[in-house]
Amino acid sequence: MANATLTIGGIVGLVLAVPIVGSLIPSSNSSGGTWSPLSAEEVDALQKATSKPVKLQFTMKYKDAYLPEQGADEYAWGIKIDLDKFKAARPDIFDVPGPNGDLGYPPVTMGFVVFSPICPHLGCYYNWSDDQNRFMCPCHGSQYTFDGTHIAGPAPRGLDPLPLRSTKGAAEVTWIVYQSNTPQRIVVSYQA
Ligand code: FES
């Protein structure tokens, strides 16, 4: 009986979790992180970038019921992708069932993917190396291909996408921090 109760509880939790993950993406008027526009120059650079990522810089603004609006300068890495190739290269994004494998938002928008600059291992900021043609983390040596596939080092998953959207002709990005050092993507925060 106890096992049956646990099983039913697990199914109910799973059914509830999927829409909850999607609903957690910030809207423009929610508390927490907000959407920040990319410049026209950055979008143009993304359109032209076929083999190198584009560093996208923006200010994330945060609202809180008790504090004045705050902002944090951040950046992320944008790449232009071929959707079929990207799907084949990143099964960790597209083929993982359940709430932890479901981003709750489209990982590809307008033919672009935006990666969080935070290494999924323990949270350092990684960089792109033109010489090595890959993303490299200075802290413990994790490495990732252009499309974010994990190829070396201790990181337990590939690079994490961030939500990107197109609104009134402008591209906007928002911020999510995922839990470090887990194979699944678990949302920790919407603030930088
Ligand atoms: S934080 Fe990047 S490899 Fe450890």
Side-chain angles (χ1 to χ4, degrees):
M1 182 62 180
N3 282 348
T5 305
L6 282 173
T7 303
I8 292 168
I11 293 170
V12 171
L14 186 64
V15 169
L16 288 175
V18 173
I20 287 171
V21 169
S23 69
L24 288 174
I25 298 173
S27 65
S28 58
N29 55 5
S30 69
S31 61
T34 56
W35 294 88
S36 297
L38 303 181
S39 70
E41 291 77 19
E42 287 175 323
V43 175
D44 188 50
L46 272 173
Q47 293 279 13
K48 294 173 181 159
T50 53
S51 59
K52 285 186 188 177
V54 178
K55 194 171 189 176
L56 309 167
Q57 296 180 290
F58 46 87
T59 301
M60 297 304 307
K61 295 192 173 158
Y62 303 102
K63 297 172 193 166
D64 186 284
Y66 305 102
L67 295 171
E69 185 175 82
Q70 303 171 66
D73 291 335
E74 273 298 350
Y75 66 85
W77 295 98
I79 63 168
K80 183 179 181 182
I81 53 101
D82 175 301
L83 183 57
D84 291 336
K85 287 183 184 169
F86 187 62
K87 279 185 172 177
R90 297 297 307 272
D92 60 312
I93 292 176
F94 291 96
D95 295 347
V96 183
N100 290 333
D102 184 355
L103 291 174
Y105 55 86
V108 179
T109 302
M110 301 181 294
F112 308 134
V113 177
V114 174
F115 288 128
S116 165
I118 299 173
C119 178
H121 180 223
L122 292 178
C124 291
Y125 280 60
Y126 61 85
N127 284 306
W128 173 257
S129 166
D130 277 341
D131 290 343
Q132 302 286 327
N133 197 38
R134 62 188 61 178
F135 292 107
M136 303 180 73
C137 183
C139 290
H140 313 99
S142 288
Q143 300 180 15
Y144 311 87
T145 60
F146 173 75
D147 60 23
T149 304
H150 172 236
I151 51 171
R157 62 176 187 262
L159 296 181
D160 300 321
L162 292 176
L164 177 70
R165 72 179 185 184
S166 172
T167 304
K168 297 176 187 165
E172 298 180 326
V173 66
T174 192
W175 191 256
I176 297 178
V177 176
Y178 290 99
Q179 187 166 318
S180 294
N181 215 15
T182 58
Q184 302 88 2
R185 292 186 175 82
I186 301 167
V187 175
V188 171
S189 165
Y190 294 103
Q191 298 194 4

